[in-house]
């Protein structure tokens, strides 16, 4: 029996990865695009359409299942309102599972990139240098400031507050909300448990409906939005500038996703 939640009914109207990504890029964030282009270069230009459709379908499936899906494994935590026939076909045809890479992506060349990164130290270092160059240039272009950064989770809160306030999120203690006219609530909060130091983004993003507070699309960890905008996981980690850039980029991408569902209302 298909679950009936107002959140699922509203997210069915999401316009998709491409328009969301373009709106994010319009704000000056381009690291994910550089990485997508690098993957297309690695795979070959002839595979560009395949890769883009794969990224589109994973994103759409993820959003319409409120994150309760692992697309590459074809595992659904809820009865899906949308299940990609394209991804089903890729999964059925996949014949390149190799230990220790148990759960590869559904596109062979992306798997080959993961495998080469894991086994070839020189290649791994060159890819890391490419990412570092992209984030450094973007941090400089966007004027990222790290004053007050210590690397401790609690000291990230002023940065979260600055970036959330700039996007009109309303603060309630250590939670920041944006309510939309469609009934969705976008919430940013902090994960201060475990080590006091930032080993990954200490941010939790939740989308839920005002009429059903318990059922939520929750995003967190080191790559909260990568299933929605491929390559966005590269925001975060690294040195102070990279980390602050990551906090801002993730908050702004969350706000872009909110904007894709319509106008906000006073909280």
């Amino acid at each position: 029996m298909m679950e009936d939640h107002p959140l699922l009914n509203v997210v069915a109207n999401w316009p998709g990865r491409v328009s969301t990504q373009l709106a994010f890029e319009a704000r000056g964030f381009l690291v994910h695009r550089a990485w997508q282009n690098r993957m297309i270069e690695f795979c070959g230009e002839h595979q560009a359409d395949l890769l883009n459709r794969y990224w589109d379908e994973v994103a759409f499936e993820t959003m319409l299942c409120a994150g309760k899906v692992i697309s590459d494994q074809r595992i659904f935590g809820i009865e899906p309102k949308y299940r990609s026939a394209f991804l089903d076909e890729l999964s059925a045809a996949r014949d390149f599972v190799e230990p220790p890479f148990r759960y590869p992506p559904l596109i062979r060349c992306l798997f080959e990139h993961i495998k080469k990164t894991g086994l070839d130290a020189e290649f791994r270092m060159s890819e890391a240098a490419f990412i570092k160059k992209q984030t450094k240039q973007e941090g400089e272009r966007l004027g990222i400031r790290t004053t007050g950064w210590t690397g401790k989770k609690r000291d990230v809160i002023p940065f979260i507050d600055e970036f959330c306030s700039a996007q009109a999120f309303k603060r309630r203690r250590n939670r920041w909300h944006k309510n939309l006219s469609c009934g969705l609530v976008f919430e940013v909060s902090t994960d201060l448990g475990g080590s006091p130091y930032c080993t990954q983004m200490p941010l939790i993003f939740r989308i839920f409906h005002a009429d059903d507070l318990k059922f939520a699309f929750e995003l967190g960890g080191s790559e909260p939005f990568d299933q929605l905008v491929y390559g966005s996981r590269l925001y975060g980690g690294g040195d102070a500038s990279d980390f602050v850039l990551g906090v801002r980029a993730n908050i702004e991408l969350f706000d872009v996703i909110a904007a894709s569902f319509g106008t906000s209302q006073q909280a």
Side-chain angles (χ1 to χ4, degrees), residues 138-195:
E138 188 152 298
E140 291 173 351
R141 189 177 70 251
L142 295 175
I144 295 297
R145 298 186 304 275
T146 60
T147 304
W149 173 261
T150 65
K152 291 185 177 180
K153 289 179 178 177
R154 290 192 176 277
D155 294 328
V156 180
I157 292 176
F159 292 97
I160 298 173
D161 190 50
E162 175 188 349
F163 301 141
C164 281
S165 297
Q167 303 306 326
F169 282 80
K170 306 299 181 182
R171 184 174 182 176
R172 299 173 182 173
R173 296 186 179 179
N174 283 339
R175 294 178 184 270
W176 293 261
H177 282 185
K178 177 171 283 192
N179 296 6
L180 303 187
S181 57
C182 63
L184 294 188
V185 180
F186 281 66
E187 178 189 86
V188 182
S189 61
T190 54
D191 176 10
L192 302 180
S195 169

Side-chain angles (χ1 to χ4, degrees), residues 18-82:
V18 172
S19 63
T20 301
Q21 180 171 307
L22 288 173
F24 186 44
E25 290 166 6
R27 298 188 183 195
F29 298 95
L30 302 171
V31 170
H32 60 285
R33 172 71 74 176
W35 188 247
Q36 290 171 16
N37 289 339
R38 193 162 181 86
M39 290 303 98
I40 291 171
E41 181 182 353
F42 178 85
C43 293
E45 189 66 35
H46 66 286
Q47 299 221 60
D49 289 345
L50 174 66
L51 287 167
N52 277 293
R53 187 174 179 192
Y54 167 68
W55 294 328
D56 286 343
E57 290 292 309
V58 168
F60 205 54
E61 206 172 66
T62 299
M63 179 61 79
L64 269 63
C65 291
K68 294 164 177 55
V69 59
I70 306 175
S71 292
D72 283 337
Q73 298 180 46
R74 311 312 292 141
I75 294 174
F76 294 82
I78 61 171
E79 183 67 27
K81 290 200 171 187
Y82 177 78

Side-chain angles (χ1 to χ4, degrees), residues 68-244:
K68 294 164 177 55
V69 59
I70 306 175
S71 292
D72 283 337
Q73 298 180 46
R74 311 312 292 141
I75 294 174
F76 294 82
I78 61 171
E79 183 67 27
K81 290 200 171 187
Y82 177 78
R83 177 172 182 141
S84 170
F86 174 72
L87 296 181
D88 282 340
E89 290 171 6
L90 290 179
S91 178
R94 181 171 56 186
D95 60 357
F96 48 86
V97 178
E98 299 176 18
F101 308 98
R102 295 179 60 198
Y103 303 115
L106 296 175
I107 304 293
R108 178 184 285 274
C109 65
L110 294 180
F111 167 64
E112 294 297 336
H113 186 275
I114 290 172
K115 188 166 68 170
K116 190 170 184 179
T117 301
L119 300 177
D120 186 332
E122 183 177 350
F123 180 77
R124 181 167 60 249
M125 290 175 63
S126 72
E127 296 299 84
F130 173 83
I131 295 167
K132 179 61 182 175
K133 179 181 178 181
Q134 302 302 315
T135 56
K136 183 176 186 296
Q137 290 176 342
E138 188 152 298
E140 291 173 351
R141 189 177 70 251
L142 295 175
I144 295 297
R145 298 186 304 275
T146 60
T147 304
W149 173 261
T150 65
K152 291 185 177 180
K153 289 179 178 177
R154 290 192 176 277
D155 294 328
V156 180
I157 292 176
F159 292 97
I160 298 173
D161 190 50
E162 175 188 349
F163 301 141
C164 281
S165 297
Q167 303 306 326
F169 282 80
K170 306 299 181 182
R171 184 174 182 176
R172 299 173 182 173
R173 296 186 179 179
N174 283 339
R175 294 178 184 270
W176 293 261
H177 282 185
K178 177 171 283 192
N179 296 6
L180 303 187
S181 57
C182 63
L184 294 188
V185 180
F186 281 66
E187 178 189 86
V188 182
S189 61
T190 54
D191 176 10
L192 302 180
S195 169
Y197 291 94
C198 294
T199 55
Q200 63 180 23
M201 280 286 146
L203 298 174
I204 299 172
F205 301 92
R206 293 178 75 246
I207 307 171
F208 55 92
H209 196 282
D211 294 334
D212 184 5
L213 305 183
K214 292 184 178 180
F215 186 84
F217 182 0
E218 187 167 304
L219 309 100
S222 59
E223 47 186 68
F225 300 107
D226 205 59
Q227 302 304 304
L228 299 177
V229 175
Y230 179 79
S232 61
R233 70 181 183 280
L234 302 178
Y235 285 105
D239 60 21
S241 179
D242 287 344
F243 216 104
V244 175

